[in-house]
Every structure is written in C-alpha cells, then in structure tokens.
Amino acid sequence: MNNTISACLIIKNEIDNIKGLISDLRKFCDEIAITDTGSTDGTLEWLKENADDVLKVYHFDWIEDFSAARNESFTHATKDWIFWCDADDRISEGLINVINNLKQNELDITDLNSYYFNYQFGKEVYVPRLRLLKRIENPYWIGACHEYVWFNNDDVRY
C-alpha cells in the first residue's frame, strides 16, 4: 500500500506553535520531519527532547530562500506522500478525518500526484491549498519568497 505520509516543515522560533501542530500531525502522519532554520527561543531544544521514531529534527542554515529550506525539508521525507504546512497552522479534526480516510481508501490506488484541501486561514476564511504531494513524483519548491510547488516530470496531474 502507498498510504504513508511524511509531514515536512521548516521552522524558526516557533515554541508557542510547534507543540499544538505536532499533536495535530501525529493524528495522521507516519513521520514528521522538522527542519529548523536557526531557532533561538527553545524550539529546537523542545523538538530534540520530544524526538522519537515519528518526530525527526534536522537543521538547515537559513539563506534567505524559502524554497531552498522547503526543498531541504522534502529530502528528509521517507514515506509515500508529503504533507507540508507551517508551524502556526492548525489541522482541523475534519481535515484530519479526510486525510485518514484517504489513507485507508484512496492514496494507494490513485494516479493523482497531489491533493488540494480547503485550508483555514484566520477564523472564517477557507481557501483551497495544495498540501499533499506524492513523494515519488519529485515535488520541489520554486521561488525565494511566495514560493510554489512544481513536479520534476512531464506528466503533471493536479
């Protein structure tokens, strides 16, 4: 079955956010790969203290390029699918249920390489965001700021 998920995040100084997000991600991810870009607020220490078979912590020297950092984070994914998000995101129980249902029923049979989800920004604003990517399709980030995902193949299927 091709139904495992790696969460890949880049973070810096997110001690107030990371604990809640890790709790959310553990509900549907098989691996959580955190790439720290230079935290000085205790984030890195907390992550290292809580690292285990699921939560893994890496370092990347910040070079003023979000795509470079996100691409580095993707290199640590070992599961079939990559879920990406930011440290201040919260994953709703509804979205957790949707993704767990996909894991049980669809991810291993689909020919899609990515999924968009209605994602919450603020209290009432939902927008479709590309969040789940098939790792074997080699997704990568482009753009130093306001970056976006592309796939390194000729057969892009959204």
Side-chain angles (χ1 to χ4, degrees):
M1 288 185 126
N2 297 319
N3 62 352
T4 56
I5 297 176
S6 297
C8 292
L9 297 82
I10 60 171
I11 62 163
K12 182 177 180 181
N13 293 333
E14 293 287 354
I15 193 65
D16 293 333
N17 292 315
I18 198 66
K19 296 173 188 177
L21 180 60
I22 297 296
S23 177
D24 292 345
L25 293 173
R26 284 187 182 277
K27 295 176 183 176
F28 66 95
C29 292
D30 305 284
E31 173 180 66
I32 303 169
I34 306 285
T35 301
D36 185 88
T37 62
S39 292
T40 59
D41 68 344
T43 299
L44 188 56
E45 291 77 11
W46 184 89
L47 287 167
K48 287 180 177 179
E49 288 172 11
N50 289 279
D52 57 22
D53 290 343
V54 174
L55 177 60
K56 299 170 183 167
V57 184
Y58 305 94
H59 176 76
F60 179 77
D61 288 325
W62 180 245
I63 58 171
E64 303 297 325
D65 186 329
F66 283 95
S67 288
R70 291 197 193 280
N71 285 330
E72 172 66 19
S73 75
F74 277 18
T75 68
H76 301 295
T78 64
K79 304 305 179 188
D80 303 304
W81 291 82
I82 297 172
F83 181 87
W84 76 272
C85 60
D86 293 319
D88 59 350
D89 289 341
R90 287 301 167 270
I91 316 301
S92 71
E93 287 299 320
L95 183 53
I96 291 167
N97 291 336
V98 166
I99 294 172
N100 278 327
N101 188 51
L102 284 172
K103 284 177 72 173
Q104 294 294 320
N105 300 305
E106 188 173 332
L107 290 181
D108 59 335
I109 60 171
T110 184
D111 67 347
L112 296 175
N113 66 7
S114 56
Y115 285 84
Y116 280 78
F117 298 105
N118 277 336
Y119 208 76
Q120 185 173 359
F121 286 90
K123 293 182 179 179
E124 298 177 7
V125 178
Y126 287 85
V127 295
R129 293 291 308 249
L130 180 65
R131 292 293 177 172
L132 191 60
L133 313 161
K134 190 178 280 186
R135 186 177 61 86
I136 198 169
E137 297 281 341
N138 300 314
Y140 65 97
W141 292 90
I142 297 173
C145 187
H146 304 292
E147 65 279 14
Y148 60 93
V149 173
W150 194 251
F151 289 89
N152 193 22
N153 61 39
D154 295 328
D155 185 24
V156 176
R157 301 176 308 276
Y158 292 99

